[in-house]
């Protein structure tokens, strides 16, 4: 359904699903997992309105009838809290995204094959960039801008741009998202088409634009073309480079490469080889981000770079690169805090332990 903007179609799907659940949802042949799979897909599609509320209430009744143990899920469906940004829906989108081939890697491989038989091969930017004047599509293009690099399905920006979804994140509060425009860039046409369809159906496409473009391209266009100031650049969970490890060798984040001594490295071969070969975050990218985030001359307020990674070594590497580029690290603002009730084993990923 990526790219479908007609809300009536999704309302009809919700109505059909609700009718079917009322018909067979309490039968023994219909398991709780079947009910959850139906409503999770609808929620992940961004359905809203009376038809969506009805199907979630019917699903809650079926789950309750079958003795489903997670009362929080049932309650969220009954009270209208279940939707696009609930954990189960976002997890479904994440699982789908992990099955998609990384677009930059695909384009680079395609270019290598074409170069062998063609003397006129387009650059990666030309191949991947969707021609559009996104800066002119905003209702008010003079508002401050938030840029999400590698936005995927646009889930973060959909939450920030939608006044009913934005939360109280400290970085978000500093920027003041209620007065901002938003643009996300990704090389996946499936992800961008999906996010654009949800934004259109939610009625927020006047302040949120999603574009098929490289990270460098969207930053260059923001610097050269956007009438307002850039207040926030987000780099969230970039695909990590390989952490090569064996019994005698572990790659540190400052290493350019790792050559295992026993000849049998252990790593995910689909990941970028190291931080300077295929990794999305480069010195040039950070320099462009720094240029885009120059102080607003009217208030002399610097913009923010928000980096998130679930790989501690990657986060440390990006932080060092950003500081070397000219960013100032705000240690008081970004401090990871752990709940003491979580065991050390549960909260420390294997990659972090190895590093």
């Amino acid at each position: 359904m990526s790219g479908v903007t007609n809300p009536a179609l999704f309302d009809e799907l919700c109505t059909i699903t609700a009718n079917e659940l009322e018909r067979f949802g309490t039968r023994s042949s219909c398991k709780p997992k079947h009910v959850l799979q139906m409503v999770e897909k609808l929620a992940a599609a961004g359905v809203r309105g009376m038809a969506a509320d009805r199907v979630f209430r019917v699903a809650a009744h079926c789950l309750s009838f079958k003795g489903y143990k997670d009362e929080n899920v049932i309650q969220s469906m009954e009270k209208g809290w279940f939707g696009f940004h609930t954990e189960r829906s976002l997890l479904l989108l994440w699982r789908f995204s992990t099955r998609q081939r990384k677009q930059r890697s695909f384009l680079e491989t395609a270019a290598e094959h074409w170069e062998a038989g063609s003397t006129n091969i387009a650059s990666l930017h030309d191949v991947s960039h969707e021609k559009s004047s996104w800066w002119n599509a905003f209702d008010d293009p003079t508002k401050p801008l938030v840029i999400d690099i590698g936005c995927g399905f646009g889930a973060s920006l959909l939450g920030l741009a939608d006044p009913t979804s934005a939360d109280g994140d400290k970085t978000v509060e500093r920027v003041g998202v209620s007065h901002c425009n938003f643009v996300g860039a990704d090389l996946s046409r499936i992800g961008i088409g999906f996010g654009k369809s949800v934004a259109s159906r939610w009625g927020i496409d006047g302040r949120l634009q999603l574009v098929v473009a490289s990270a460098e391209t969207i930053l260059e266009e923001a610097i050269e073309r956007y009438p307002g100031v850039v207040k926030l650049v987000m780099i969230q969970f970039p695909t990590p480079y390989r952490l090569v490890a064996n019994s005698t060798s572990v790659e540190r984040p400052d290493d350019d490469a790792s050559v295992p001594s026993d000849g049998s490295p252990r790593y995910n071969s689909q990941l970028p080889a190291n931080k300077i070969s295929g990794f999305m975050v480069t010195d040039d990218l950070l320099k462009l981000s720094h240029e885009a985030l120059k102080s607003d001359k009217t208030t002399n307020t610097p913009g923010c770079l928000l980096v998130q990674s679930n790989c501690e070594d990657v986060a440390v590497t990006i932080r060092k690169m950003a500081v070397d580029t000219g960013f100032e690290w705000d240690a008081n603002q970004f401090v990871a805090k752990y709940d003491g009730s979580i065991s050390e084993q549960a909260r420390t990923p294997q990659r972090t332990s190895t590093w």
Side-chain angles (χ1 to χ4, degrees):
M1 302 298 287
S2 176
V4 177
T5 59
N6 183 4
L9 176 58
F10 289 88
D11 287 345
E12 188 64 23
L13 287 172
C14 288
T15 300
I16 293 171
T17 305
N19 291 341
E20 286 299 292
L21 283 175
E22 287 180 336
R23 183 179 66 83
F24 79 97
T26 56
R27 297 180 183 177
S28 59
S29 59
C30 181
K31 307 299 182 185
K33 67 177 182 179
H34 300 144
V35 177
L36 288 169
Q37 286 169 354
M38 292 183 210
V39 293
E40 284 170 3
K41 290 180 179 179
L42 289 172
V47 297
R48 287 184 171 182
M50 295 178 61
D53 291 342
R54 179 192 167 212
V55 72
F56 294 147
R57 286 196 304 269
V58 173
H61 170 72
C62 294
L63 292 173
S64 180
F65 179 84
K66 293 178 176 297
Y68 186 64
K69 294 182 179 180
D70 194 336
E71 290 292 335
N72 290 330
V73 171
I74 295 175
Q75 187 179 49
S76 68
M77 292 180 183
E78 291 175 338
K79 295 185 177 296
W81 303 335
F82 194 81
F84 182 81
H85 283 102
T86 50
E87 291 184 2
R88 300 190 70 95
S89 306
L90 294 178
L91 183 58
L92 187 152
L93 286 177
W94 176 79
R95 286 171 175 163
F96 178 81
S97 68
T98 59
R99 296 196 296 267
Q100 309 307 303
R101 185 172 184 182
K102 296 300 179 184
Q103 296 300 305
R104 181 179 290 273
S105 173
F106 168 77
L107 291 167
E108 289 174 344
T109 302
E112 290 175 1
H113 286 289
W114 277 99
E115 281 176 341
S118 173
T119 58
N120 185 25
I121 182 68
S123 70
L124 176 61
H125 288 210
D126 294 333
V127 172
S128 63
H129 185 40
E130 176 184 69
K131 303 298 182 183
S132 68
S133 300
W134 54 265
W135 51 90
N136 291 326
F138 293 115
D139 292 338
D140 181 359
T142 65
K143 288 183 176 182
L145 183 67
V146 174
I147 303 174
D148 190 0
I149 295 172
C151 66
F153 291 95
S156 292
L157 290 184
L158 286 165
L160 294 176
D162 178 21
T164 67
S165 301
D167 58 25
D169 180 86
K170 290 183 179 180
T171 307
V172 171
E173 290 176 353
R174 290 175 66 181
V175 174
V177 296
S178 61
H179 305 291
C180 289
N181 289 327
F182 305 86
V183 64
D186 201 278
L187 296 178
S188 170
R189 293 185 179 274
I190 293 177
I192 293 298
F194 173 88
K196 289 173 72 172
S197 71
V198 175
S200 175
R201 287 184 279 118
W202 287 4
I204 57 175
D205 49 346
R207 62 188 305 227
L208 168 60
Q209 294 297 311
L210 299 171
V211 185
V212 178
S214 68
E216 295 80 6
T217 296
I218 203 69
L219 287 168
E220 289 169 354
E221 291 181 341
I223 294 169
E224 297 172 3
R225 304 293 186 90
Y226 189 69
V229 298
V230 179
K231 298 296 289 184
L232 176 66
V233 173
M234 302 191 297
I235 303 175
Q236 303 189 87
F237 307 102
T239 301
Y241 46 80
R242 298 175 194 167
L243 184 71
V244 181
N246 57 41
S247 57
T248 60
S249 172
V250 175
E251 181 183 29
R252 303 294 294 189
D254 289 334
D255 293 342
D256 290 336
S258 176
V259 181
S261 59
D262 64 1
S264 57
R266 300 197 308 271
Y267 55 75
N268 185 344
S269 62
Q270 298 182 45
L271 298 179
N274 50 58
K275 71 174 185 179
I276 61 172
S277 178
F279 185 45
M280 185 187 84
V281 183
T282 63
D283 289 334
D284 289 341
L285 176 62
L286 291 172
K287 288 176 182 176
L288 283 171
S289 299
H290 192 270
E291 176 69 17
L293 289 166
K294 281 185 175 179
S295 299
D296 181 354
K297 294 181 180 179
T298 59
T299 63
N300 197 34
T301 303
C304 296
L305 172 68
L306 172 64
V307 176
Q308 296 194 75
S309 175
N310 53 7
C311 301
E312 187 174 351
D313 60 298
V314 173
V316 170
T317 295
I318 298 176
R319 181 185 66 178
K320 182 179 184 301
M321 293 169 64
V323 170
D324 290 344
T325 303
F327 283 97
E328 180 180 348
W329 168 250
D330 190 344
N332 294 324
Q333 183 67 22
F334 307 104
V335 179
K337 296 182 179 180
Y338 297 103
D339 184 338
S341 64
I342 302 176
S343 69
E344 184 70 27
Q345 182 179 8
R347 74 187 186 202
T348 305
Q350 180 61 47
R351 178 179 175 125
T352 300
S353 297
T354 302
W355 173 64

